[in-house]
Amino acid sequence: MSSDEVRDAVAEPVAGGTVRHGPGVTANRAFPTDSYPSHLDPFVLFERFDIDPDQGFPMHPHQGFEIVTYMLDGGMDHEDSLGVEHTAYEDEAMHIVTGGGIEHSEFAADGEACNGLQLWVNLPRDQKEADPTYTDTDSEALPTEELDGATVTTVVGTGSPIDPVTRMEYLDVRVTDAWTWSFPDEWAGFLYGVAGEGPGDGSRFGEGDVLPVAGSRDVELRTDGSLRAVAVSGRPHGEPIQQQGPFVF
């Protein structure tokens, strides 16, 4: 599906699909899946992963995109070909520009299980061969705003130390009553349910659901209890997304 087709579509929440990455690693993938088979320019892939104790991904390559990993529970050990070794814990983020190529490993830390969210963001053509980089941040460095009806943490965006190549915003939203999301008209984005449930844009929206959004639409989330979601938006590159496993050309 092209960006224009996504923009013109009347989106409804779609349940994420289960992906098994190997022994001890499963994920709920928001897209691409059988239910939502396209990428969402500039976004390549988004999923919530669960890693069993002492399990994970051995050293493997990536190329041609950016990775934003945001931890929900437990810790994840990261090691890469740049010489970085780091463990990210709950509400902490890591950002990698894979550029012309990087290798890294990801394992559950401290003998405990972990889960988190991982976003792949396409790089524009003129940045595909850029030097790879790595950045991480703890939760205290991420701006958090208390609003009437919601608490919003900026994982990527104004005030965050995570500074991607692609213009984008990534919000962690804990709704206690109501919250309205909007972003620039020329951008595209999605909501993903982390916990709880409530109406999202007039439809039921909850854990494991994704709601693609594009164009000049405001989306309201409401709940009678609690609802946690991430809201991710970015400026499309308007270039084909050609993914082959861990590479995006």
Side-chain angles (χ1 to χ4, degrees), residues 39-88:
H39 307 291
L40 184 61
D41 185 13
F43 306 115
V44 178
L45 175 154
F46 183 85
E47 64 184 24
R48 178 176 183 171
F49 60 84
D50 289 275
I51 305 178
D52 291 343
D54 302 317
Q55 299 295 316
F57 299 94
M59 197 68 71
H60 58 283
H62 286 300
Q63 181 178 337
F65 63 102
E66 304 181 72
I67 303 170
V68 178
T69 302
Y70 185 55
M71 297 303 297
L72 299 176
D73 187 52
M76 188 170 75
D77 290 332
H78 163 93
E79 184 175 351
D80 65 38
S81 53
L82 300 177
V84 175
E85 296 182 16
H86 177 74
T87 302

Side-chain angles (χ1 to χ4, degrees), residues 149-150 174-178 195-199 204 222-228:
R174 293 169 169 87
V175 183
T176 54
D177 181 16
E197 66 176 10
R204 297 303 297 176
R222 304 188 65 89
T223 183
D224 294 328
S226 63
L227 171 63
R228 184 180 182 184

Side-chain angles (χ1 to χ4, degrees), residues 64-177:
F65 63 102
E66 304 181 72
I67 303 170
V68 178
T69 302
Y70 185 55
M71 297 303 297
L72 299 176
D73 187 52
M76 188 170 75
D77 290 332
H78 163 93
E79 184 175 351
D80 65 38
S81 53
L82 300 177
V84 175
E85 296 182 16
H86 177 74
T87 302
Y89 290 98
E90 181 179 351
D91 297 336
E92 296 182 344
M94 297 184 287
H95 171 236
I96 300 171
V97 177
T98 69
I102 193 172
E103 294 186 350
H104 76 150
S105 64
E106 301 158 300
F107 283 91
D110 307 323
E112 302 287 342
C114 70
N115 77 86
L117 305 171
Q118 190 162 100
L119 173 69
W120 292 13
V121 188
N122 193 28
L123 282 171
R125 291 282 176 215
D126 60 1
Q127 295 292 320
K128 290 288 186 181
E129 297 299 323
D131 291 338
T133 63
Y134 169 90
T135 308
D136 58 61
T137 181
D138 60 26
S139 58
E140 294 181 357
L142 298 177
T144 297
E145 185 178 10
E146 300 287 345
L147 304 173
D148 289 338
T151 300
V152 180
T153 297
T154 300
V155 180
V156 180
T158 303
S160 170
I162 301 295
D163 185 23
V165 174
T166 301
R167 289 183 59 194
M168 59 170 288
E169 184 178 66
Y170 186 138
L171 306 176
D172 177 8
V173 186
R174 293 169 169 87
V175 183
T176 54
D177 181 16

